[in-house]
């Protein structure tokens, strides 16, 4: 056998699926430096026009009508595998995927998005695909779109997801709990004070990190920044606007007049440093954001989680005691004042966060994937 060839499918509907794929890819490169890895957006394989339309619709939906998205999410959460809709979804881009896979001849396929996982699982069940498929579930909840009996290996974030998938018919031997894979750089321990100095911040001041995701979908970001700029002294903040240029511009005036230091940033690639510098993150509840924060032992204050998977992720954080969930600005202000005035509360949440997930999530996930590959090779030789 030559160099390992891996095909990774993710999606740009939100950044979490992409970041999980990048985390696994990086861990493979560390484990197998000679591996040949191709990482694709599954929608681009089907149609660039289709992908653009769906992506734009999704972002606009969660930004402007999140309740509508929530209704869609929950109504589709228990679709039967043999339903007309599920059969349609499992056939999306079928010919395109088969053609591409046959041309590349990978040894292993990894999916971090449920739709493509369903398509490939169906091909596996029909014995039209002879390459093992590993799927990474990128949320702390179980949805019907992740349930495909043809998947060879599932990587999940916690025991609740494991139990939920078993209850829906997935063989327990095919599910491994590693934590949702995060980039190995989040495992590195950075000195908090040194990191603050590097970012141009006061090394001794309590620091809040405000993140709205790659597309700036944290509702109320302007009000949050105004509160942090005015309420009390002796705190500082880092605010990340992602690719939302309008949000960045709307915050510049607040930052200029702020009584407290605010570092205003656009799209960033050093989230692990920002999390290392912070004492608390105020954010949306994407599965990867939650996982990265917990990996950095960083408590979360989740504001207005989007109904659906984010609401489920927020419930997970709240249930384990690694953070709080605020649904109104009044509640958010009260929660912020609470942690400002009671440092021990932050310390307790940080302690819980530190032990919430297994360590080396991406590394452990890749070890299971390589075990799957070797098992499949042994089975082929025996057969």
């Amino acid at each position: 056998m030559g160099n390992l060839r891996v095909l990774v499918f993710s999606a740009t509907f939100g950044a979490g699926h992409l970041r999980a794929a990048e985390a696994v890819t990086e861990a493979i490169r560390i484990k197998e430096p000679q591996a040949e890895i191709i990482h694709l957006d599954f929608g681009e394989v089907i149609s660039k026009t289709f992908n653009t339309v769906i992506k734009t619709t999704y972002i606009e939906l969660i930004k402007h009508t999140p309740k509508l998205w929530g209704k869609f999410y929950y109504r589709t959460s228990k679709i039967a595998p043999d339903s007309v809709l599920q059969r349609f979804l499992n056939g999306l881009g079928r010919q395109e995927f088969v053609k591409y896979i046959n041309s590349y001849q990978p040894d292993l396929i990894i999916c971090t998005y449920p739709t493509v996982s369903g398509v490939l699982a169906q091909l596996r069940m029909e014995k039209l695909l002879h390459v093992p498929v590993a799927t990474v579930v990128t949320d702390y909840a179980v949805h019907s779109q992740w349930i495909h009996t043809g998947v060879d290996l599932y990587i999940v974030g916690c025991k609740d997801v494991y139990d939920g998938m078993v209850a829906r018919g997935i063989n327990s031997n095919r599910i491994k709990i590693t934590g949702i894979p995060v980039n190995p750089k989040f495992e590195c321990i950075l000195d908090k004070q040194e990191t603050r100095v590097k970012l141009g911040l006061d090394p001794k001041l309590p620091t809040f990190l405000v993140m709205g995701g790659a597309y700036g979908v944290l509702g109320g970001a302007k009000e949050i920044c105004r509160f942090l700029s005015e309420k009390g002294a002796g705190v500082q903040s880092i605010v990340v606007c992602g690719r939302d240029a309008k949000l960045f511009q709307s915050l510049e005036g607040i930052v200029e007049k702020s009584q407290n230091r605010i570092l205003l940033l656009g799209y960033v690639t050093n989230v692990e440093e920002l999390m290392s510098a912070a004492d608390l993150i105020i954010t949306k509840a994407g599965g990867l954001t939650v996982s990265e924060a917990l990996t950095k032992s960083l408590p979360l204050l989740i504001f207005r989680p989007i109904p659906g998977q984010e609401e489920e992720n927020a419930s997970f954080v709240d249930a384990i005691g690694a953070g709080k969930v605020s649904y109104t600005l009044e509640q958010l202000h009260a929660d912020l004042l609470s942690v400002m005035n009671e440092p021990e509360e932050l310390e307790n949440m940080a302690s819980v966060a530190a032990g919430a997930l297994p360590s080396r999530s991406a590394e452990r996930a890749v070890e299971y994937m390589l075990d799957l590959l070797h098992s499949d090779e042994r089975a082929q030789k025996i057969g």
Side-chain angles (χ1 to χ4, degrees):
M1 175 178 167
N3 293 339
L4 175 66
R5 297 167 70 88
V6 182
L7 187 55
V8 181
F9 288 109
S10 66
T12 51
F13 307 153
H17 306 290
L18 182 64
R19 298 212 305 276
E22 291 172 343
V24 171
T25 297
E26 181 63 21
I28 293 173
R29 294 196 189 283
I30 293 171
K31 191 83 172 175
E32 298 281 343
Q34 303 303 315
E36 300 174 19
I37 307 171
I38 292 182
H39 176 191
L40 298 174
D41 182 341
F42 98 98
E44 294 285 310
V45 176
I46 299 174
S47 163
K48 290 186 177 181
T49 301
F50 162 85
N51 198 44
T52 300
V53 170
I54 297 298
K55 176 181 173 181
T56 302
T57 301
Y58 172 73
I59 293 172
E60 290 301 309
L61 196 62
I62 62 174
K63 265 190 173 184
H64 304 296
T65 54
K67 289 184 178 179
L68 183 59
W69 166 256
K71 288 181 180 179
F72 173 79
Y73 176 89
Y74 288 114
R75 286 181 179 176
T76 59
S77 65
K78 295 182 179 180
I79 294 177
D82 60 349
S83 67
V84 174
L85 177 57
Q86 193 60 61
R87 290 202 302 270
F88 167 76
L89 292 172
N90 289 350
L92 279 176
R94 182 184 173 103
Q95 292 182 345
E96 288 84 353
F97 285 118
V98 169
K99 181 179 179 181
Y100 190 91
I101 292 167
N102 287 339
S103 67
Y104 181 59
Q105 292 291 307
D107 301 300
L108 173 68
I109 301 176
I110 301 168
C111 305
T112 65
Y113 191 73
T115 303
V116 64
S117 176
V119 174
L120 300 181
Q122 185 63 37
L123 291 170
R124 285 290 275 165
M125 293 178 68
E126 295 176 19
K127 301 189 184 304
L128 297 175
L129 176 62
H130 305 289
V131 182
V133 175
T135 294
V136 178
V137 180
T138 55
D139 289 301
Y140 292 95
V142 180
H143 190 282
S144 66
Q145 289 310 292
W146 289 111
I147 306 299
H148 308 292
T149 54
V151 170
D152 299 276
L153 172 67
Y154 274 104
I155 299 296
V156 302
C158 65
K159 182 67 162 52
D160 285 349
V161 174
Y162 173 96
D163 291 340
M165 299 194 79
V166 171
R168 295 203 189 190
I170 301 298
N171 188 320
S172 62
N173 293 327
R174 296 189 175 197
I175 312 170
K176 302 300 179 183
I177 305 171
T178 67
I180 297 174
V182 301
N183 194 297
K185 64 186 179 182
F186 283 87
E187 302 281 356
C188 298
I189 298 175
L190 303 178
D191 183 85
K192 189 180 293 291
Q193 293 189 349
E194 290 180 3
T195 306
R196 287 174 183 171
V197 171
K198 180 180 178 181
L199 295 170
L201 298 170
D202 188 315
K204 296 182 180 180
L205 284 182
T207 305
F208 296 155
L209 172 61
V210 182
M211 292 189 65
Y215 300 100
V217 293
L218 178 67
K222 193 170 183 179
E223 291 81 1
I224 293 170
C225 290
R226 184 174 288 113
F227 180 86
L228 292 173
S229 73
E230 298 173 349
K231 297 296 181 182
V235 299
Q236 59 191 355
S237 305
I238 306 166
V239 179
V240 180
C241 299
R243 294 188 173 92
D244 193 331
K246 290 183 179 179
L247 176 61
F248 187 97
Q249 292 170 2
S250 72
L251 297 179
E252 287 181 307
I254 296 173
V255 172
E256 289 174 3
K257 299 175 183 177
S258 176
Q259 300 172 17
N260 300 318
R261 174 85 165 96
I262 297 179
L263 177 62
L264 184 63
L265 304 170
Y267 181 78
V268 299
T269 57
N270 64 332
V271 174
E272 77 285 356
E273 287 188 334
L274 304 183
M275 288 186 172
S276 295
D279 296 299
L280 175 77
I281 181 170
I282 305 165
T283 185
K284 60 197 290 292
L288 265 292
T289 298
V290 167
S291 300
E292 289 164 354
L294 294 177
T295 300
K296 298 301 290 184
S297 305
L298 181 63
L300 300 101
L301 179 48
I302 296 169
F303 183 52
R304 289 178 183 164
I306 296 167
Q309 67 269 37
E310 285 200 9
E311 212 163 45
E312 301 285 351
N313 295 336
S315 295
F316 168 75
V317 171
D318 185 54
I320 64 174
K324 297 184 174 188
V325 184
S326 301
Y327 287 91
T328 66
L329 279 171
E330 292 75 19
Q331 185 181 0
L332 177 73
H333 292 169
D335 286 336
L336 281 172
L337 286 173
S338 176
V339 297
M340 286 178 182
N341 296 328
E342 300 177 26
E344 64 275 8
E345 184 177 19
L346 269 181
E347 292 174 7
N348 290 338
M349 290 192 294
S351 178
V352 171
L357 300 178
S359 61
R360 304 182 297 111
S361 56
E363 179 184 344
R364 286 156 52 86
V366 166
E367 287 173 354
Y368 284 122
M369 291 173 185
L370 295 179
D371 285 345
L372 166 68
L373 175 59
H374 296 149
S375 297
D376 187 72
E377 290 172 347
R378 287 193 294 270
Q380 289 183 20
K381 288 179 181 178
I382 294 172

